[in-house]
Amino acid sequence: MKSLKLKYLIFIGSVVLTIFISQLVIQYDLNEQNSDARLINLAGRQRMLSQRISKLTLFLQYNNLNKRDSSFYRVDTLKKLVDVWEEVHFQLIKQNQLYSKSVEIDSLLRNNTEGLQQVVSSCRQIIRSPDSSTVKQAIANIAKYELPFLLRMEKTVQTYQKEAERKLKFLKQLELILSVIAVIILISEFVFIVIPGSNQLNKANQELIQRNGELVASEEEIRSSLEQIRALQLDLEVKQRQYEGLIDGALDSIYELDHRGNLSFINPLMEKMTGFSKHELLGKHYRGLIYQDDIEQVVAFYKGQLSNKKEDSYLEFRIQTKGGSFTWVGQNVRLFFNERKVYKVSVVARDINQIKESQLALSRERILMRTIVDNIPAHIYAKNLRSEKILANRTEYLYLGGQVESDVLGKSDWDLYPNEIAEISIAEDRLIFDGEAILNRETLNRRKDGSQTWFLTSKLPLRNEHQQIVGLVGISIDISSQIKAKEELERSEKLYRLLAENSQDVISLHKLDGTFEYVSPSSINLHGYYPNELVGRNGLEFVLVDDSQRILATAPWLLERMKNNEPLEPSQFRIVTKNRGIVWVENLIKPLFDRGELSGFQSTVRDISTRKAYEVALEKAKLAAEHATLAKSQFLSMMSHEIRTPMNGIIGITNILLTENPRVDQLDNLKLLKFSCNNLLSIINDILDYSKVEAGKIELENISFNLNDILYHYKKLHEQSAKQKGMLF
């Protein structure tokens, strides 16, 4: 009995132990199945969340493109989805570490962490700033990492399935072994104790059947998860096609390079921009697309990016097209490193030809404007709200002692001028900053070296695109020469007025029609009128009628000579005065010009009545003298003719005596007598010639003569007189 009881106890114990072990194995199996199912569900949920996030970001972009309002709840939904997505990912990692402990799954999940963080970062950028450019950039980044993420998740789900199947197979085998052991034990124990343990065995069998049913249910759940995974794979294929559609329809050229720098992927816009076909571009080294003049610069830039291990960069350069021309592109490049080596390069290039042309046109305009500003003789400058120079043209910075513009930029008037001048200028600046304007104000400026310059200054507020005052613009024109000329003119006018007011002559200014515009005070003495009585009246009103008609007749001739600025001779005429009657005057006219045009004339009138009286008396004296001279000429002419008659008789008798053979001493005397008579006759002829001179009838004769005979006869003529005076001749 004791043995049977012991056997019964052993049987019961073995049955209980068998059942206990079976329960443990089944519980462990169920736990593992539940854990695998949860992980597969989490992985499926992760893929579903990724799809919802992608759809929501695309929906936000669609709203921005169509100018629709992005409601707050959509951004808030995105935030919740991103938070749950990130939480589920790290929950998967944690669950794997706690239960599955699969190295392969752990590696897949951790490799997906970077892509998840990039997508999460892009989504949070959209959450912070859901504008069009941010959404577009974020979607580009999401599209970049979403496909690798989904592919790894698909692989992760497949790994989960394999792990679950492996565990299920192992547990089946373990259950089979335990069942065999249990059957052996039960059979062996059945031999010893059949009836006592039959009920317990049946009960254990029932429980085992129940557990098997639960296992079947778990298998059904796994099959359902697999179907969900297949649905996710189909959805992934749809997303992939959408992604490819976005790439093909992008407005930028998108291409990829392999680790050797050869093109491995291009979108259609890249073909259009370069003119090369896809077949020609794929496998082509990127240097073959760079414009010849830019190769050195581009290669040096990307070598620098590679040596600095910088992932992202931006560069503008020209690419060579198939037709031989070039196109400007702005290129964003991302390098993908694998253990410090680049295995892939992703590039987004945008055609910026229009931007470059606009920049070139703007640069040319700036150069043109700067050239004009620097060559304008005026001082042009601009100041900020601290009254510091932010622009100065060449005239301005040279005036301030600078060699280049940078020598004066950033300096205020306190740095450039004496304190009293700077204080005045700063006070003017404050008015401009309050919205007022200064136009054409004459100011005396003094530099630190003590030199002074007069300026005609204008200052206006400088406004930004929001019409806010951010400074001022000033233009100063050097008018020192004009001021000096003005002062000289004032001095000349003062001197002119002084001379005019103290001169005995009447000095007046007239319009071209002769109307008085100014008359000196001496008009009181000459005309008998005060200057204000003459101004506005025509000068011919005071000229004697006969003389005024003569002046009017010569007016066109006078006007023409004045226009040509030809000198005019003084004219004399008579004027009718207020108190003195008719007075002779002499008038000297000088033309006046305004900007090269004849505008009037200056008249200087002098009283010549006394001179005219002297001229009349002189004329009378002249007539008397002329009458006396005529009487003298008539007397000389008559006397000359009277003397010539006896002289001709003496000469005739002398000639007769010379023909009668006189003695030698008589011959000399007769010749001397003849010479003297001829000489006297010549003198008489000279007197007659004097009369002819006065009558204007003298004629010169060319007659030959013997100089020795003349000298001999003169000697004989004066020899006797010399002897009487005791002189040798």
Side-chain angles (χ1 to χ4, degrees):
M1 186 68 180
K2 288 183 180 180
S3 175
L4 182 62
K5 186 176 181 180
L6 180 60
K7 290 180 180 180
Y8 180 78
L9 290 174
I10 291 172
F11 175 77
I12 296 299
S14 63
V15 171
V16 171
L17 182 61
T18 301
I19 294 171
F20 179 75
I21 292 172
S22 298
Q23 288 292 330
L24 288 177
V25 171
I26 291 171
Q27 190 64 39
Y28 176 77
D29 182 17
L30 291 174
N31 288 337
E32 288 297 316
Q33 289 181 32
N34 291 333
S35 175
D36 291 336
R38 281 194 301 271
L39 290 174
I40 291 171
N41 285 333
L42 285 174
R45 187 182 181 189
Q46 189 76 330
R47 287 165 54 82
M48 179 186 67
L49 289 171
S50 174
Q51 293 169 6
R52 290 190 65 188
I53 288 170
S54 299
K55 290 177 180 178
L56 192 53
T57 54
L58 289 172
F59 185 70
L60 287 172
Q61 185 187 30
Y62 175 79
N63 283 347
N64 283 336
L65 290 174
N66 289 276
K67 308 296 184 181
R68 296 183 179 178
D69 181 31
S70 295
S71 301
F72 174 78
Y73 77 88
R74 297 191 182 97
V75 177
D76 187 56
T77 301
L78 179 62
K79 180 178 183 302
K80 291 178 181 179
L81 288 174
V82 169
D83 293 340
V84 172
W85 190 44
E86 187 176 24
E87 179 183 355
V88 168
H89 179 77
F90 290 104
Q91 187 177 354
L92 280 172
I93 296 174
K94 185 176 180 182
Q95 291 290 331
N96 180 69
Q97 292 174 347
L98 292 174
Y99 301 104
S100 300
K101 299 182 180 178
S102 171
V103 176
E104 184 178 359
I105 292 174
D106 186 75
S107 175
L108 289 169
L109 291 173
R110 291 189 183 279
N111 286 338
N112 250 359
T113 301
E114 180 184 0
L116 178 135
Q117 289 175 344
Q118 289 289 338
V119 174
V120 169
S121 175
S122 298
C123 290
R124 285 175 177 163
Q125 286 180 4
I126 295 175
I127 293 167
R128 287 191 298 270
S129 177
D131 56 271
S132 179
S133 60
T134 304
V135 171
K136 184 177 179 181
Q137 184 178 2
I139 286 176
N141 200 36
I142 290 170
K144 179 179 177 182
Y145 288 98
E146 184 183 25
L147 182 59
F149 178 84
L150 292 174
L151 291 173
R152 288 195 189 96
M153 285 306 301
E154 181 181 1
K155 189 173 181 181
T156 302
V157 171
Q158 293 173 353
T159 306
Y160 273 130
Q161 291 173 346
K162 291 178 181 179
E163 290 286 336
E165 291 172 356
R166 182 181 59 78
K167 289 178 183 179
L168 183 61
K169 184 177 180 181
F170 172 76
L171 290 173
K172 292 285 186 183
Q173 292 173 350
L174 183 60
E175 287 177 358
L176 181 61
I177 292 170
L178 289 174
S179 298
V180 171
I181 292 172
V183 169
I184 293 171
I185 293 173
L186 289 173
I187 290 173
S188 62
E189 290 181 349
F190 185 79
V191 175
F192 300 99
I193 308 171
V194 178
I195 298 173
S198 60
N199 293 331
Q200 193 130 359
L201 182 59
N202 290 331
K203 185 178 180 180
N205 286 333
Q206 290 294 328
E207 190 174 354
L208 183 60
I209 291 170
Q210 182 181 356
R211 294 297 182 185
N212 285 332
E214 292 177 356
L215 182 59
V216 170
S218 296
E219 288 179 353
E220 290 294 332
E221 187 177 353
I222 290 171
R223 278 194 292 272
S224 176
S225 297
L226 290 174
E227 290 176 357
Q228 188 177 3
I229 289 170
R230 282 193 291 271
L232 290 174
Q233 287 176 340
L234 292 174
D235 190 55
L236 178 61
E237 291 175 358
V238 172
K239 292 297 183 184
Q240 185 173 357
R241 287 193 295 271
Q242 291 177 348
Y243 173 74
E244 291 174 353
L246 288 173
I247 293 296
D248 291 341
L251 298 177
D252 297 330
S253 297
I254 301 173
Y255 62 93
E256 290 184 351
L257 306 175
D258 59 20
H259 65 283
R260 292 185 297 273
N262 297 326
L263 277 81
S264 58
F265 169 80
I266 62 168
N267 71 340
L269 194 61
M270 184 67 178
E271 299 178 60
K272 183 178 179 181
M273 186 167 65
T274 62
F276 293 101
S277 66
K278 184 176 182 179
H279 177 73
E280 291 173 320
L281 287 173
L282 290 178
K284 187 180 184 70
H285 196 273
Y286 84 97
R287 286 187 60 169
L289 293 175
I290 304 174
Y291 191 64
Q292 186 67 31
D293 295 345
D294 295 347
I295 290 179
E296 184 177 350
Q297 170 199 351
V298 175
V299 171
F301 178 83
Y302 288 120
K303 280 185 177 179
Q305 181 183 357
L306 184 61
S307 62
N308 294 328
K309 299 294 185 293
K310 186 179 178 182
E311 289 187 356
D312 299 310
S313 68
Y314 177 80
L315 180 65
E316 295 179 356
F317 61 93
R318 292 169 289 182
I319 63 171
Q320 185 81 37
T321 65
K322 188 175 182 180
S325 60
F326 64 83
T327 298
W328 276 98
V329 295
Q331 182 166 283
N332 289 286
V333 171
R334 166 158 285 194
L335 303 181
F336 293 88
F337 293 92
N338 184 10
E339 296 181 358
R340 303 179 65 83
K341 291 184 178 179
V342 175
Y343 68 89
K344 186 177 73 170
V345 180
S346 292
V347 181
V348 178
R350 175 166 293 182
D351 186 342
I352 59 171
N353 258 338
Q354 291 184 349
I355 296 174
K356 280 294 180 181
E357 289 174 1
S358 299
Q359 289 175 347
L360 181 61
L362 181 60
S363 175
R364 288 172 178 167
E365 277 189 23
R366 293 184 64 183
I367 292 172
L368 176 61
M369 291 302 298
R370 189 69 205 196
T371 302
I372 293 172
V373 168
D374 281 341
N375 287 279
I376 289 176
H379 298 246
I380 301 175
Y381 54 89
K383 298 180 183 179
N384 58 22
L385 292 176
R386 295 187 298 276
S387 290
E388 296 171 341
K389 287 277 196 306
I390 57 175
L391 180 142
N393 71 339
R394 187 171 183 271
T395 305
E396 174 71 0
Y397 67 70
L398 289 178
Y399 173 76
L400 295 173
Q403 298 298 318
V404 293
E405 185 183 16
S406 58
D407 291 341
V408 300
L409 294 184
K411 295 182 179 180
S412 69
D413 291 342
W414 296 110
D415 304 317
L416 300 171
Y417 297 105
N419 290 342
E420 60 274 15
I421 300 298
E423 185 175 357
I424 295 171
S425 180
I426 296 295
E428 291 178 346
D429 293 351
R430 292 194 191 101
L431 292 176
I432 306 304
F433 298 151
D434 289 337
E436 298 185 25
I438 295 176
L439 299 175
N440 298 329
R441 177 181 291 180
E442 293 184 1
T443 57
L444 179 61
N445 186 280
R446 188 173 75 256
R447 292 185 288 187
K448 286 191 173 182
D449 60 4
S451 60
Q452 294 183 342
T453 306
W454 278 96
F455 287 109
L456 186 66
T457 300
S458 296
K459 293 182 180 181
L460 299 170
L462 177 63
R463 301 177 186 272
N464 61 13
E465 64 275 12
H466 305 298
Q467 296 301 309
Q468 297 171 334
I469 296 176
V470 295
L472 65 84
V473 176
I475 300 177
S476 297
I477 301 173
D478 186 346
I479 57 169
S480 298
S481 58
Q482 291 93 318
I483 292 295
K484 185 177 180 181
K486 181 180 178 181
E487 292 174 351
E488 289 293 332
L489 180 61
E490 289 176 353
R491 283 195 293 269
S492 298
E493 288 180 351
K494 184 177 180 181
L495 179 61
Y496 176 82
R497 190 171 292 275
L498 181 65
L499 292 173
E501 291 177 354
N502 290 278
S503 173
Q504 294 299 318
D505 297 336
V506 177
I507 300 173
S508 57
L509 300 178
H510 296 260
K511 296 180 181 178
L512 288 177
D513 61 358
T515 302
F516 284 105
E517 290 186 310
Y518 166 79
V519 183
S520 64
S522 54
S523 64
I524 300 172
N525 298 326
L526 180 61
H527 293 80
Y529 295 98
Y530 287 95
N532 59 346
E533 293 180 285
L534 298 176
V535 172
R537 298 177 68 178
N538 196 292
L540 290 177
E541 295 180 20
F542 304 95
V543 179
L544 196 66
V545 175
D546 295 342
D547 293 346
S548 65
Q549 291 176 351
R550 175 171 52 84
I551 293 172
L552 285 173
T554 60
W557 176 80
L558 289 172
L559 186 62
E560 188 65 27
R561 290 184 67 86
M562 283 195 293
K563 285 182 179 179
N564 297 329
N565 201 17
E566 297 178 8
L568 299 173
E569 294 294 330
S571 61
Q572 296 179 358
F573 51 84
R574 292 164 291 178
I575 63 173
V576 180
T577 65
K578 188 175 184 180
N579 302 318
R580 296 172 55 196
I582 297 174
V583 176
W584 274 97
V585 295
E586 183 180 69
N587 184 23
L588 178 62
I589 294 176
K590 180 180 179 182
L592 299 176
F593 294 90
D594 183 11
R595 299 177 183 177
E597 295 290 332
L598 181 65
S599 59
F601 59 89
Q602 173 191 304
S603 172
T604 304
V605 177
R606 177 173 296 174
D607 185 351
I608 59 171
S609 298
T610 304
R611 192 174 74 187
K612 274 293 183 179
Y614 289 149
E615 287 178 355
V616 171
L618 182 61
E619 184 67 24
K620 292 179 179 179
K622 177 184 175 185
L623 290 174
E626 288 176 350
H627 287 305
T629 301
L630 180 60
K632 179 189 71 173
S633 297
Q634 291 174 348
F635 172 75
L636 289 174
S637 178
M638 183 182 65
M639 289 301 297
S640 296
H641 285 287
E642 292 295 331
I643 294 172
R644 286 182 67 179
T645 301
M647 283 300 302
N648 287 330
I650 294 171
I651 292 171
I653 293 172
T654 302
N655 288 330
I656 293 172
L657 291 175
L658 286 173
T659 59
E660 292 179 350
N661 296 320
R663 297 190 305 271
V664 175
D665 57 337
Q666 290 176 340
L667 181 63
D668 289 338
N669 291 330
L670 288 172
K671 288 180 178 181
L672 181 59
L673 178 62
K674 183 180 179 180
F675 174 76
S676 297
C677 289
N678 287 332
N679 194 23
L680 181 59
L681 186 61
S682 295
I683 292 172
I684 293 170
N685 288 333
D686 289 341
I687 293 172
L688 291 174
D689 289 340
Y690 177 75
S691 298
K692 291 180 179 180
V693 169
E694 290 181 345
K697 296 180 180 180
I698 189 169
E699 294 180 2
L700 298 177
E701 293 179 345
N702 188 5
I703 301 173
S704 59
F705 63 93
N706 191 325
L707 181 60
N708 290 327
D709 288 345
I710 292 173
L711 293 176
Y712 173 77
H713 289 300
Y714 268 104
K715 177 177 178 294
K716 288 294 185 180
L717 180 63
H718 298 288
E719 187 175 29
Q720 188 64 32
S721 298
K723 285 180 180 180
Q724 292 176 356
K725 295 180 179 179
M727 299 172 60
L728 294 176
F729 185 79

